[in-house]
Amino acid sequence: MTVVRAALVQTTWTGDKESMIVVHEQYLRDAAARGAQVICFQELFYGPYFCQVQDKQYYAYAESVPGPTTERFQALAKELGMVIVLPVYEREDPFLYNTAAVIDADGSLLGKYRKQHIPHVGGFWEKFYFRPGNGGYPVFDTAVGKVGVYICYDRHFPEGWRALGLNGAQIVFNPSATSRGLSEYLWRIEQPAAAVANEYYVGAINRVGIEDLGDDDFYGQSYFVDPEGNYVGDKGDTHQPELIIRDLDLDLIQTVRERWAFYRDRRPDAYDDLVRP
């Protein structure tokens, strides 16, 4: 049996970037002390969810990848022997992206995923801050297996989930900032459905609390779900910060794929209409 101990962090905004980074460094050390081998933080982990407003001052949160924050966590990954999925605000002049860097357990930067689907509705004014991703749906060969990333609003689009599966993903992390109300029922449906349809594990992460920038009430409830659609342990708290650590049996992936054979029975020759505008 191949078991990976994986961790998710859901937390509240501390008020400034440096203290937010320090909080996550401690979460990382706590997770390592409990035997975690891979961890993912929430969307835009070191800042508030500034997309509740449209204000150019928040462009200052963007930095290069690699850059100071990714390099800081590369050193920690090497020290602790952990794989880290690090969601940051990326600047690649003249463009800005909503990005997750993937760092291997030896501290090497394996690459990054840029959020593909960018919303622009009340409380989520993301097109003001981000260009749509242009790097496809990479899967990273890490010390714990093949890891993919899909970010927040991406989860509403089944095509990317499938692309990650076709690219070999065993665990897909979905760091998010999603608010109580309209989307909450989808939170309980979409990631389990994606895990079943694509036959891999999903780690869904959501921040908690109400931030000063708006009335978005981030409802936590971070969780892991297995390829059969079952929650791995309990979901995270609806209001409180939490470090969630679960054991994922990767052998279950092959068991499920042999049972259902969804990849074998795909009909790509019949799907041309799916990519028409």
Side-chain angles (χ1 to χ4, degrees):
M1 185 169 66
T2 303
V3 175
V4 170
R5 182 159 290 185
L8 311 174
V9 174
Q10 62 173 48
T11 194
T12 53
W13 168 234
T14 59
D16 67 88
K17 179 177 178 179
E18 176 58 23
S19 65
M20 199 67 167
I21 290 174
V22 169
V23 162
H24 282 79
E25 288 174 332
Q26 188 58 54
Y27 275 123
L28 183 62
R29 292 189 181 279
D30 291 347
R34 292 170 58 184
Q37 300 160 279
V38 58
I39 193 169
C40 183
F41 299 153
Q42 60 202 24
E43 183 181 19
L44 303 169
F45 90 94
Y46 56 62
Y49 183 69
F50 44 75
C51 307
Q52 295 182 78
V53 298
Q54 299 181 70
D55 190 331
K56 292 180 181 178
Q57 70 169 306
Y58 294 105
Y59 293 160
Y61 278 91
E63 58 179 68
S64 62
V65 177
T69 300
T70 50
E71 289 169 1
R72 187 165 169 173
F73 280 88
Q74 282 180 262
L76 282 166
K78 183 176 181 179
E79 175 190 342
L80 300 172
M82 284 184 66
V83 176
I84 303 173
V85 179
L86 195 73
V88 299
Y89 191 10
E90 181 193 5
R91 178 183 298 277
E92 186 178 74
D93 284 333
F95 302 115
L96 302 170
Y97 299 94
N98 189 332
T99 295
V102 179
I103 303 168
D104 211 355
D106 63 0
S108 59
L109 179 62
L110 296 179
K112 55 195 170 187
Y113 170 74
R114 289 170 170 167
K115 185 175 182 176
Q116 293 276 12
H117 306 92
I118 309 298
H120 200 68
V121 295
F124 300 87
W125 303 114
E126 295 200 9
K127 285 182 168 64
F128 185 83
Y129 295 100
F130 313 123
R131 186 188 196 204
N134 57 2
Y137 299 95
V139 169
F140 304 94
D141 195 0
T142 77
V144 298
K146 296 186 182 299
V147 168
V149 186
Y150 216 30
I151 298 177
C152 197
Y153 189 64
D154 281 332
R155 71 181 183 274
H156 303 310
F157 299 86
E159 296 85 357
W161 290 115
R162 177 50 54 89
L164 289 163
L166 290 170
N167 289 337
Q170 296 170 291
I171 308 170
V172 175
F173 291 98
N174 180 227
S176 299
T178 190
S179 179
R180 201 177 308 274
L182 183 62
S183 76
E184 191 171 358
Y185 80 100
L186 292 174
W187 185 255
R188 299 189 294 271
I189 297 170
E190 284 180 316
Q191 290 95 316
V196 169
N198 298 288
E199 300 169 324
Y200 48 52
Y201 284 90
V202 173
I205 311 97
N206 185 28
R207 61 178 62 205
V208 287
I210 300 175
E211 299 173 1
D212 291 340
L213 293 172
D215 59 3
D216 283 351
D217 184 356
F218 303 107
Y219 52 77
Q221 301 178 60
S222 303
Y223 61 81
F224 284 103
V225 63
D226 73 20
E228 295 180 312
N230 300 311
Y231 292 114
V232 184
D234 295 332
K235 291 185 289 184
D237 195 88
T238 60
H239 294 283
Q240 298 301 317
E242 192 169 346
L243 173 64
I244 294 161
I245 298 178
R246 303 287 185 264
D247 289 336
L248 312 181
D249 175 11
L250 299 189
D251 289 344
L252 180 61
I253 296 170
Q254 189 60 33
T255 299
V256 171
R257 290 187 178 188
E258 289 176 358
R259 178 194 308 152
W260 289 112
F262 293 157
Y263 288 93
R264 182 198 66 191
D265 295 336
R266 291 175 61 249
R267 286 288 312 281
D269 58 297
Y271 302 155
D272 288 349
D273 288 350
L274 296 181
V275 294
R276 291 177 182 168

